Structure formats: structure tokens, C-alpha cells
Amino acid sequence: MDGETCIRKAYEYIFHSDFEEAIYWFEQAIAAEPDNAGYYHKCAVSCARSGKWPKAKIYADVAEKLEPDNEEYRYHSQVIQSRLLLAEANVLIDRENPDIKEAAELLRHAVMLDPLSFDAYYTLAMVCMTDGGLDEAIECAREALRLDPNHSAARRLFADISRKRRMERIRSTMRRR
């Protein structure tokens, strides 16, 4: 079967919300035409939508390698990498002995790769607040709110960080006197 026929079948399955079968047909298209970057990209998008981030990254990287000047492919690969870094940071945060510093570095890289990632900014704001970096925490919380102004937890986080910063400034002023 040729690649285009496989792609049509993949879209039929997407239309019926069967993403597993769609991914299968995208992979068949890739097998039929392994040099077609568009097929890899479409498969990467479907994998990402299904939460299969490592698999999505593999396909996105191949698409980008096949067409290195394609901005859409590069951006999508960066978004996927950002999501993987966020997941890795969450593992570090959720440990019995969290590695906050390493998680913060991963999250900084994640927001650099995907400046539209609410989750990365929000998580980085929490990590920075925990680690005492209140100036960075407030900036990240502000950015998270800019991305999702109605997110109630982000609003509370912003208010908590603001309160902590005010208290720190008051204490600092009192110590100088």
C-alpha cells in the first residue's frame, strides 16, 4: 500500500477517535515512504496527542532531520522535548528526597524550548518558591497566569509568592534598622 493511502486510513481512524489505529497507519505510511518527513511529523503529532511523548520525540526528530529547515517540524520537536523535560522534572520533585535544583534546571530548559507551556512555568514557579528564589518564582507565576488567566491554583500561587516576597522585604528592612 502506498503512503498516501495509509495516511488517508490514519485520518479515518482519527475522525473516529481511534488514535492507536491512526498511529499504526501513520507508521505504515512511514514504512512505505521512509524519506517522507511529513509522515513522521503527522505520526509524531498523533503520538503526542495520545500522550506517547518518547515515541512522539523519535518521530519528530526524524522529521526534523529529514527537513532541517522546516520551522514547524523544529518547533514541534521542541514542544515535545519540553514536555519530556517537564515529566523528568516532576519525577525529581516527587522523589522521597526531591532534587529541586536539578528539577529547576530541567524546567528552565523546558520553558526555553516551549515558551507557551503553562505547566512548565507553573511548576517552575512552585520549585523556585520552594527553593527560595522568589524573584524568579513570581516571574514564572506571572507568565503562567498570562498563559492561563483563569487558572485558580496559579492565581493562589502568585498570591502566595507575592506575600512571601513582601514578608521577606519587611524582614530585610527590619534587620537593617
Side-chain angles (χ1 to χ4, degrees):
M1 197 175 292
D2 70 290
E4 274 307 310
T5 302
C6 295
I7 293 296
R8 281 194 295 279
K9 287 193 83 59
Y11 281 120
E12 284 176 33
Y13 283 104
I14 288 173
F15 181 73
H16 295 293
S17 299
D18 186 345
F19 300 106
E20 293 302 315
E21 199 63 26
I23 291 169
Y24 169 81
W25 283 104
F26 283 128
E27 290 173 336
Q28 294 306 302
I30 289 167
E33 296 180 38
D35 293 331
N36 188 320
Y39 294 171
Y40 288 93
H41 175 69
K42 289 171 181 156
C43 192
V45 169
S46 285
C47 289
R49 286 183 179 157
S50 298
K52 298 175 186 251
W53 297 104
K55 192 174 189 177
K57 180 67 173 140
I58 291 167
Y59 287 121
D61 286 348
V62 174
E64 187 180 6
K65 183 179 179 206
L66 289 171
E67 288 188 26
D69 295 331
N70 188 310
E71 290 295 320
E72 180 181 357
Y73 296 172
R74 182 177 306 119
Y75 174 74
H76 193 249
S77 181
Q78 289 176 336
V79 168
I80 293 168
Q81 180 63 32
S82 174
R83 188 65 181 219
L84 289 167
L85 290 169
L86 173 63
E88 192 177 338
N90 282 327
V91 168
L92 294 173
I93 293 165
D94 292 339
R95 286 182 177 170
E96 187 174 321
N97 294 314
D99 189 343
I100 299 298
K101 298 237 185 273
E102 181 63 24
E105 286 305 310
L106 293 173
L107 292 164
R108 286 182 190 106
H109 192 203
V111 298
M112 181 196 71
L113 289 170
D114 183 6
L116 300 177
S117 174
F118 167 84
D119 292 328
Y121 276 110
Y122 178 76
T123 306
L124 183 54
M126 289 192 307
V127 165
C128 289
M129 184 176 87
T130 301
D131 201 32
L134 297 180
D135 290 338
E136 184 178 6
I138 199 78
E139 290 305 315
C140 291
R142 184 177 286 122
E143 189 61 23
L145 279 172
R146 188 183 68 73
L147 293 168
D148 187 353
N150 298 319
H151 196 280
S152 59
R155 286 179 179 208
R156 281 191 305 277
L157 179 62
F158 184 82
D160 290 346
I161 297 167
S162 296
R163 202 170 14 266
K164 265 188 155 181
R165 283 178 73 203
R166 277 193 305 278
M167 293 305 293
E168 246 187 40
R169 287 185 180 136
I170 291 169
R171 280 190 218 113
S172 177
T173 302
M174 299 293 271
R175 280 193 295 260
R176 282 190 236 138
R177 289 184 180 173

